[in-house]
Amino acid sequence: MSAMRAIVEPNKGRMQGTAARAPFDGIMSRVKAPSGVTYREDALGGVSGWWCRPASVQPGKAILHLHGGWFNWGTAQAFRHLVGHIAAEAQVEAFIPDYRLAPECPFPAAIEDAQACYRELVNRGTRLVALTGDSAGGGLALALLSIATTSASFGGVIPVGAVVLSPVTDLTLGGQSWESRAAADPYFTKTQATGLVKAYLGGTASNDPIASPLFGNLVGLPSVRVHVGDDEVLLDDSRRYVERATAAGVDAKLDVWEGMPHGFLGGIGNFSASAEALEAIGAFLVEKFTNASA
């Protein structure tokens, strides 16, 4: 971890705007490839993306993963190894959409694309779908979870559950960890995030419940598991979401990983915490898919 911090901290807060897309993809592409997982390009609901298919999969089941990148960066191809690990642990194929990015396509383009993918999965006959997502994609996954649970436009197919990694749930940037973890976080600053969020929201209010799922109605949601590092400014986005979800009667649980920064799951092969978190994610997804099949 000390070696990683020495590399990344000199660039803390400097990744801004569309110029950060290439270096961001470069970082994500370096995640260790999982064994036995193959990839193929496809499109769901008119949204292109990549399937991650483990050697052994269960038919009729799928994971829909929304990738991170502060709504401005990221590609399905760059995230395929990270998501491939999740798919392998769950023994279920996973699709990563290339949802539209800001600033070219601000809110609600990304969540519209996520809904289109979910709807197409249902139309193709998939009746058991889990939602996963990381960072900004974690926020999108939680917003989609609420929409898919309450909307009648998905054929009555409700997600079996959701797992999110360091989700962005509050675009007002109101969490105390923006201050309490400002020094500990090796990647992000509040000034940096403010610009990226502004580009994404356009003229939308930052507390809109679809843009910021922390402020949504969480009653009746399926089970949610949240994993976050203790050394990241987004810590309170996770804490407060789980607190609100639990108060609403949702089976929601939070794991805070001591000493871990944002995106630590991508350190699989280097950090024991990454392996342990991945194992916990896989066990949860296997349980939810199995119970839904019974």
Side-chain angles (χ1 to χ4, degrees):
M1 181 58 69
S2 296
M4 183 277 289
R5 285 181 174 274
I7 294 171
V8 302
E9 285 186 327
N11 294 312
K12 179 175 177 175
R14 293 185 179 180
M15 294 181 65
Q16 300 181 23
T18 58
R21 287 176 179 169
F24 180 77
D25 277 0
I27 293 170
M28 296 311 306
S29 296
R30 289 196 292 269
V31 173
K32 179 183 177 182
S35 60
V37 177
T38 57
Y39 308 98
R40 66 180 176 90
E41 294 182 83
D42 194 9
L44 293 180
V47 182
S48 63
W50 284 74
W51 281 103
C52 309
R53 184 181 177 87
S56 176
V57 298
Q58 303 170 43
K61 303 176 182 180
I63 296 168
L64 180 60
H65 184 94
L66 287 309
H67 70 73
W70 280 107
F71 311 102
N72 288 249
W73 320 319
T75 62
Q77 184 176 13
F79 273 81
R80 69 191 188 281
H81 292 327
L82 177 67
V83 181
H85 282 287
I86 296 173
E89 286 288 335
Q91 296 186 338
V92 174
E93 61 182 349
F95 184 76
I96 318 164
D98 272 313
Y99 59 82
R100 288 170 288 172
L101 299 175
E104 297 92 338
C105 300
F107 180 87
I111 191 62
E112 288 176 346
D113 288 351
Q115 291 180 74
C117 290
Y118 189 87
R119 185 174 293 108
E120 179 65 15
L121 280 174
V122 173
N123 290 342
R124 290 187 181 188
T126 307
R127 290 295 177 266
L128 300 178
V129 182
L131 304 180
T132 62
D134 62 280
S135 195
L140 290 172
L142 293 175
L144 180 59
L145 185 69
S146 293
I147 294 169
T149 301
T150 59
S151 174
S153 65
F154 300 105
V157 176
I158 295 173
V160 300
V163 180
V164 289
L165 315 171
S166 306
V168 178
T169 68
D170 177 12
L171 296 186
T172 73
L173 307 183
Q176 292 184 356
S177 53
W178 280 104
E179 282 72 41
S180 65
R181 297 300 190 275
D185 191 310
Y187 294 112
F188 304 127
T189 68
K190 193 169 187 178
T191 299
Q192 173 195 29
T194 299
L196 294 165
V197 167
K198 183 178 180 180
Y200 171 61
L201 286 174
T204 302
S206 58
N207 63 351
D208 182 290
I210 301 301
S212 295
L214 176 67
F215 304 110
N217 180 4
L218 309 185
V219 174
L221 294 184
S223 299
V224 178
R225 295 294 181 268
V226 181
H227 296 265
V228 65
D230 191 47
D231 285 355
E232 53 177 306
V233 288
L234 287 168
L235 175 60
D236 279 348
D237 278 47
S238 292
R239 280 177 172 166
R240 290 179 298 150
Y241 182 89
V242 171
E243 288 171 358
R244 286 205 65 236
T246 302
V250 178
D251 170 29
K253 294 183 180 179
L254 172 69
D255 280 298
V256 180
W257 293 87
E258 184 177 357
M260 289 294 105
H262 189 77
F264 73 92
L265 195 69
I268 186 73
N270 294 312
F271 302 137
S272 60
S274 303
E276 292 175 26
L278 188 61
E279 183 179 351
I281 291 166
F284 170 77
L285 292 173
V286 167
E287 177 189 4
K288 289 303 159 185
F289 277 119
T290 300
N291 291 345
S293 301

